[in-house]
Amino acid sequence: MRLVRYRPPVAVFAVASLLVMASDAQGAETRAGITLDANHVTITAGPLVRTLDLSGNRILLTDLRVGETQIASGPGAEFRLTFHQAEPNRRPVGLAPGDVEPLDFGQANRDWLKATRAPDAENAEPELPITEMQSVQWTNPITLDGQRMAECFQLMHTEISTPRAGATRLNLRARVIDTAHPLHHVAISLFYEVHDGYPAIRKWIEITNNGPKWLKIDALTIDAADLSPALGSKVPLTPQLNGVGSSVVAFGNDEQSCGVIAASEVPSALRSIGPNGSMGYTDAIFEWVLGPSERFESEPVFQFAYTGEVEKTVSGVSTPLDRTVEGPYMRFLEDVVGMRATTENSPAPVWCSWANFKTRIDDANMREQAKIAARAGFTTFLIDAGWSKYPNLDNSEPDPARFPDFDATCRYITSTGLRLGLWICCMRNPGAQDLAALPDAVATPRVNRGGGLGMSFTSPWRDYFANDLVYMYDRFGMTYVKEDFSQILFGDVTEGHESRTHKESILRGLRGLLAANDVVAHSAPGLITQLTHEIYWATPGPGCDIALLKHCSSYHIPPNIYLGNPDSNKRVSQQGDYDPQKLRRDLIQGCWVARQQYFAHRGLPLYPLEFYSAETVNFKGSLSPEVQDRQVCSWLMGCPTVFSGDLASLTAEQVDHYRRRFELVKRLQNTYDIYLHFQYSGVPLPTDTDWHWWGKLDEAGCGAVVVLRGSGGAESRAINVPWVLPERSYNVNALLQGKPLGRFTAAQLRSGALALSLPAYGQEILELAAAPE
């Protein structure tokens, strides 16, 4: 065993934490370290302290504190899982395509969603009788946890290491030595990691089978901590949607002044965060087979502490939880967990061809739309489904009938100054080149969607798919790809593919999808990869999560909306029985839906999120300049992706108005990196009936504050800005009104000395620039 010394404290400052917040969980006193004293381990991450008892070959949690507050309900096991033995003792044999009835994608998807919304939804899974048809049975279950492991495991190794600068890691490894025990030569390793400057403890588990038996694990809880009932306030910081739970949940006291953020890096529906704060895998759809010499390593989970004073402001309440989320927690995701996304070279604003065109696209109408999109100031032009020879099953083969020279179409688009984006699907027509190269790459059960078959991310096709995206990057000049639809939800147990059981294939499929995007990131770092909610699970699918953003540049969050579009299934005509005033109200409603979805994801960086869509359509004046401004402002809670709709319906004045607004936003982004930031503590929560606002301020307190008024509220409102730096002064300009508002000290901005007048459904973007001393 090797011990390490504590490192010097590292300061962690956040523009979001400057409202008399010196006692918050992040600050100059934050330090991280791990110490071993006899049979006890103490893991310290600033105010977050976790103590383990290792006596008697056990691994037990004995103490979990945030500062002086005990947050565990009592001593408890550190993990939990069940082993099963294969009977007979051999590798499960996969199935041939004919062994299972094919599935219709739409019906099977509806069955899943119906099951997840049933009273017993926690136990829901697709009813596919695959496991029972395989060649082994799983017998003799052995359930273990940090207490019961002493019945057969010996704690063999305790090591403290420094895997990289600023990080300290603990490895606890236990083995079964008894040669007569069914788990002989099985090892369990628990890893804990802390980082200087962050009140966080990250944890994962590794299980190795070096014995002669084929085993299966399930019911795996990575962190079995049982949080105190005093932390009864549970705030999901990413949404629970369509049968998939949140990936980030804050557990705290009623005042949200003390608690922990429980965050899981497990992907999609495999993730489980329990009502008591435990974290692991969803029992109903998780298992993993371990043959001799095989190893399983879980995704990490972590707790991030917050503590401090609740501060009343002139417009709301600033809690330590909110300040932590918008500041140090968000930096922890960027610096430690690692995000694939970046605000550098942002594709925003993006226009997408789906609304009003669907798959009825061709060279002529895409050239028409691209010409207008370039004039309107868009950065990226996304050709959605329909460009390939198999419409709605697009691969890298263009349709020669609708695009006689697709290379020329792409060159035209990029010649206008636009970047090119393309849609691609993970279902394949039997005649596709993928299946000519890899005829055995289809998943079992066979999933049919519109004549296309679901391809397997647990087969070599995973690499074919990644290579094909790089080919499209090279061939067509594509810099943005939208990946859509898959069979992952339905599993794959094809003989010769990697999965040995149906449930195992779910995690393997999700990991394979993310691994394919890692290959793309390595081979084509300039290619922005976006996954949709449909590819990541069901249709509609889940909200975004941490796991996806570690591997992909962007995520298309549900639901898809077309509010304000007269008929999204056809081109816009100025003829028809539509009410322009109702369409305008719908456009405004779409802005409100977008803000709600962004805010529901505030436990993640918002700039990688795409919400579909701000409708770029006009019917007899339905799209007013004020509505255009509201679209830009609403999507600016994250960044302006994505807009969609028939651009030919716009007037020249509307096209010019979009351009002026997009140029304004691009200038703010280039100057202050506003997409990276989102502050919401100490101001009103989002509403569409009164005023609310949020910050897009950098570390110097400079950038933008976006202000919206809803249907009601006073005509004039004091706008407080809690996130500016003390002892600083700022010049404030109202950019949409085009007028300076004056010079303000930080104290004035915090106290609401800045007043703003707006009409109902009005909006403003305030620029805060550092004033010369």
Side-chain angles (χ1 to χ4, degrees):
M1 180 183 67
R2 183 166 63 90
L3 299 179
V4 295
R5 299 171 183 262
Y6 276 125
R7 297 175 189 79
V10 176
V12 175
F13 298 103
V15 67
S17 303
L18 295 169
L19 196 93
V20 194
M21 300 166 193
S23 61
D24 280 7
Q26 57 289 335
E29 78 281 4
T30 300
R31 64 178 183 176
I34 302 173
T35 59
L36 177 66
D37 180 14
N39 288 319
H40 290 84
V41 172
T42 302
I43 306 170
T44 302
L48 181 61
V49 180
R50 189 178 194 125
T51 305
L52 308 179
D53 179 3
L54 308 183
S55 63
N57 291 310
R58 304 171 304 166
I59 305 176
L60 299 179
L61 173 70
T62 58
D63 195 56
L64 184 61
R65 294 179 179 272
V66 175
E68 299 300 317
T69 303
Q70 175 63 249
I71 65 168
S73 63
E78 272 291 289
F79 68 95
R80 189 175 297 109
L81 80 160
T82 299
F83 288 92
H84 306 260
Q85 301 171 56
E87 180 62 44
N89 183 35
R90 66 187 186 196
R91 176 183 68 84
V93 178
L95 303 179
D99 292 339
V100 184
E101 286 293 322
L103 295 174
D104 175 75
F105 180 91
Q107 185 59 53
N109 182 78
R110 287 189 292 273
D111 289 345
W112 165 266
L113 292 172
K114 181 179 179 181
T116 61
R117 292 162 184 167
D120 60 345
E122 290 187 2
N123 298 315
E125 61 177 310
E127 295 183 3
L128 305 176
I130 294 176
T131 302
E132 292 78 1
M133 297 175 63
Q134 291 185 281
S135 58
V136 303
Q137 299 295 314
W138 298 102
T139 64
N140 302 321
I142 300 174
T143 298
L144 298 172
D145 57 27
Q147 172 73 38
R148 296 181 60 184
M149 64 180 290
E151 298 170 5
C152 53
F153 280 82
Q154 294 182 37
L155 190 57
M156 306 290 293
H157 186 75
T158 305
E159 182 176 5
I160 301 173
S161 62
T162 54
R164 54 194 171 278
T168 306
R169 179 181 296 172
L170 169 67
N171 178 6
L172 304 175
R173 185 161 58 245
R175 295 184 179 276
V176 176
I177 303 300
D178 183 357
T179 58
H181 197 277
L183 300 182
H184 174 56
H185 271 326
V186 169
I188 297 176
S189 296
L190 269 65
F191 294 91
Y192 302 81
E193 195 168 272
V194 292
H195 295 261
D196 286 341
Y198 293 105
I201 299 175
R202 202 168 179 222
K203 179 184 179 184
W204 64 97
I205 190 169
E206 179 183 287
I207 302 150
T208 303
N209 177 20
N210 238 29
K213 295 183 181 296
W214 280 84
L215 304 172
K216 182 186 79 172
I217 60 171
D218 61 13
L220 176 55
T221 301
I222 303 165
D223 189 353
D226 184 11
L227 297 180
S228 167
L231 301 188
S233 173
K234 300 177 183 64
V235 180
L237 297 172
T238 62
Q240 177 175 331
L241 283 174
N242 303 312
V244 180
S246 171
S247 67
V248 187
V249 181
F251 292 80
N253 57 15
D254 291 342
E255 298 79 21
Q256 297 180 8
S257 63
C258 181
V260 290
I261 299 166
S264 172
E265 299 171 42
V266 176
S268 191
L270 265 296
R271 171 183 57 254
S272 174
I273 299 180
N276 64 344
S278 62
M279 291 183 278
Y281 294 89
T282 302
D283 288 348
I285 52 175
F286 168 78
E287 64 188 22
W288 197 273
V289 174
L290 285 170
S293 81
E294 293 186 353
R295 176 176 62 92
F296 172 79
E297 182 176 334
S298 77
E299 283 78 6
V301 298
F302 64 88
Q303 292 177 333
F304 198 104
Y306 63 92
T307 183
E309 297 296 325
V310 175
E311 300 289 338
K312 183 91 169 65
T313 72
V314 297
S315 67
V317 174
S318 176
T319 68
L321 170 59
D322 291 342
R323 300 192 298 263
T324 297
V325 170
E326 66 191 18
Y329 162 82
M330 205 59 66
R331 285 199 311 281
F332 182 79
L333 291 183
E334 298 276 357
D335 297 342
V336 176
V337 176
M339 299 285 102
R340 165 79 173 93
T342 175
T343 57
E344 295 179 8
N345 201 29
S346 172
V350 176
W351 183 85
C352 170
S353 68
W354 185 245
N356 300 120
F357 293 92
K358 301 299 169 72
T359 59
R360 297 181 301 277
I361 56 176
D362 55 34
D363 175 78
N365 59 32
M366 289 298 95
R367 286 175 183 255
E368 172 204 44
Q369 295 293 299
K371 183 177 181 180
I372 303 171
R375 285 174 39 216
F378 286 96
T379 296
T380 301
F381 186 88
L382 172 61
I383 302 179
D384 211 294
W387 62 272
S388 88
K389 65 190 296 185
Y390 306 110
N392 227 4
L393 299 170
D394 297 28
N395 62 358
S396 61
E397 303 172 82
D399 181 359
R402 288 175 295 151
F403 294 93
D405 188 345
F406 190 64
D407 295 89
T409 305
C410 296
R411 286 194 301 271
Y412 175 79
I413 291 168
T414 56
S415 74
T416 66
L418 293 164
R419 303 179 199 170
L420 175 66
L422 294 174
W423 184 89
I424 193 167
C425 178
C426 298
M427 320 292 286
R428 287 293 178 269
N429 185 283
Q433 60 188 12
D434 309 48
L435 288 172
L438 298 170
D440 299 324
V442 177
T444 302
R446 297 212 163 193
V447 179
N448 187 300
R449 181 182 181 275
L453 298 173
M455 305 296 284
S456 174
F457 279 99
T458 69
S459 77
W461 182 80
R462 171 180 64 233
D463 296 319
Y464 185 99
F465 176 72
N467 296 337
D468 218 21
L469 297 188
V470 177
Y471 166 81
M472 293 162 63
Y473 175 74
D474 293 341
R475 169 74 184 272
F476 303 126
M478 173 188 77
T479 60
Y480 186 93
V481 63
K482 179 179 179 180
E483 305 168 40
D484 210 353
F485 297 117
S486 77
Q487 99 314 324
I488 290 172
L489 164 65
F490 309 110
D492 172 33
V493 286
T494 306
E495 175 61 20
H497 292 182
E498 296 168 358
S499 302
R500 282 74 62 91
T501 72
H502 169 221
K503 289 185 181 180
E504 183 188 76
S505 73
I506 304 293
L507 181 56
R508 281 192 182 272
L510 287 166
R511 285 181 171 183
L513 170 64
L514 300 179
N517 280 268
D518 288 341
V519 172
V520 174
H522 172 77
S523 300
L527 176 57
I528 294 171
T529 55
Q530 183 209 82
L531 267 63
T532 70
H533 57 97
E534 291 98 335
I535 195 175
Y536 203 43
W537 199 240
T539 302
C544 193
D545 62 26
I546 294 173
L548 183 137
L549 293 183
K550 291 166 61 177
H551 303 273
C552 304
S553 311
S554 176
Y555 185 71
H556 176 98
I557 60 177
N560 296 345
I561 62 168
Y562 305 88
L563 289 169
N565 199 317
D567 184 345
S568 65
N569 292 307
K570 63 182 183 180
R571 297 288 301 266
V572 177
S573 166
Q574 297 306 310
Q575 307 300 316
D577 188 21
Y578 304 107
D579 180 356
Q581 294 305 312
K582 182 184 182 304
L583 293 174
R584 180 175 298 180
R585 291 193 297 271
D586 287 347
L587 288 166
I588 292 171
Q589 177 66 15
C591 296
W592 169 227
V593 175
R595 300 198 303 278
Q596 292 178 83
Q597 294 305 315
Y598 278 120
F599 191 75
H601 283 85
R602 63 194 179 279
L604 300 173
L606 297 185
Y607 60 86
L609 306 184
E610 174 187 288
F611 181 67
Y612 184 95
S613 76
E615 296 292 290
T616 53
V617 293
N618 175 58
F619 180 79
K620 297 183 178 179
S622 61
L623 184 69
S624 67
E626 293 77 17
V627 170
Q628 291 179 278
D629 287 350
R630 201 164 189 85
Q631 289 178 327
V632 172
C633 289
S634 296
W635 266 258
L636 199 52
M637 189 175 279
C639 75
T641 60
V642 62
F643 292 70
S644 185
D646 189 350
L647 294 170
S649 69
L650 303 182
T651 67
E653 291 77 15
Q654 289 166 336
V655 170
D656 289 343
H657 193 80
Y658 272 131
R659 183 177 192 88
R660 288 193 298 273
R661 293 311 188 222
F662 290 152
E663 287 176 346
L664 183 158
V665 170
K666 290 176 186 178
R667 178 183 67 79
L668 292 171
Q669 169 60 16
N670 292 335
T671 306
Y672 307 108
D673 200 11
I674 60 171
Y675 299 160
L676 181 64
H677 306 288
F678 173 57
Q679 295 101 13
Y680 63 93
S681 60
V683 296
L685 292 173
T687 176
D688 214 32
T689 59
D690 208 323
W691 293 67
H692 80 103
W693 57 94
W694 63 90
K696 308 286 285 184
L697 303 180
D698 64 16
E699 291 78 4
C702 299
V705 174
V706 185
V707 185
L708 287 91
R709 181 186 169 192
S711 59
E715 292 184 5
S716 181
R717 180 71 187 260
I719 306 298
N720 66 308
V721 186
W723 319 291
V724 290
L725 293 182
E727 311 303 327
R728 295 284 185 91
S729 293
Y730 298 85
N731 291 324
V732 181
N733 289 285
L735 299 180
L736 302 188
Q737 298 179 37
K739 66 179 184 181
L741 300 182
R743 177 184 174 120
F744 296 82
T745 65
Q748 289 173 320
L749 289 172
R750 291 180 181 180
S751 65
L754 172 61
L756 191 64
S757 296
L758 290 175
Y761 293 120
Q763 47 275 320
E764 185 55 87
I765 300 176
L766 304 176
E767 180 180 9
L768 275 65
E773 296 296 333

